[in-house]
Amino acid sequence: MMAKEFKIVHESEIDGTPQQVFDAATVGNSGWLWPMDGEFEPRVGGAGPYGSTVTAWDPPHRFANHVDGEGGFFNSLEYDISERPEGRSWLRYVHSGVFFEDWDNQYDGAAKHTAFYQHTLGQYVKYFAGKQAAFADIQGPEASKGPDAFKAVKAALGIHGAGAGGHVNVAIAGVGDVDAVVDYQDENFVGLRTGDAMYRFFGRNAFGAVVGMTVHLFAGGADGDAAGAAWGAWLNGLYS
């Protein structure tokens, strides 16, 4: 397989200080992405997230990490953060690396995921800055690879139309009623936010994978495994 490089750049204004954004990008990943595994050493040359090496460390303005792999693989993430008035920040995020096959589809999926993840980072900083989350990653069944599979998620959540805004209320066995703000919505992604949680829904069927979701719970004592099991039963039930 031939490695072909890609570069995705995303810029956004975030309602939070540069330090809050920097902390989210470095040690707050459970709140908007997924928990880091392994050690993290806050210095250039130290251990970075997900087996990477820290290549830039200048808090609260710049953080970057890089990892190499076999066959020409590499993956690099860069966060450049500048201060804006009234406690806000500007984030320039750059993700570069390689894909080995189906380049156009993978690039399209990665670019759209980036926009959703960076929005979620902004929601985390605005509403939950500094908090760690109890986390669950849930994958749908093979049947959720179908072309219209993500529509079933939107219908079950009671989401209609396009764009963010408004509320939904959905009953989840083992969790109870979830009354949430729709903070993000497009053809492939939905974001819900409550006073103590965020729920992210991924229509990865558009990119050849199954529909998935993540749960980020910020209340003290929250059980991510239990929430993951409950939401997993709900998600799988949509396709049975």
Side-chain angles (χ1 to χ4, degrees), residues 171-237:
I172 305 297
V175 173
D177 287 348
V178 176
D179 186 70
V181 173
V182 181
D183 65 76
Y184 193 98
Q185 185 198 172
D186 65 14
E187 183 180 5
N188 305 118
F189 305 95
V190 168
L192 303 182
R193 189 189 73 251
T194 72
D196 59 7
M198 291 199 293
Y199 304 94
R200 311 285 101 175
F201 300 85
F202 302 85
R204 295 189 176 114
N205 55 310
F207 315 111
V210 298
V211 170
M213 66 172 292
T214 58
V215 175
H216 309 262
L217 305 176
F218 300 99
D223 188 335
D225 291 338
W231 278 98
W234 175 87
L235 183 61
N236 279 268

Side-chain angles (χ1 to χ4, degrees), residues 162-177:
H167 287 75
V168 300
N169 187 286
V170 57
I172 305 297
V175 173
D177 287 348

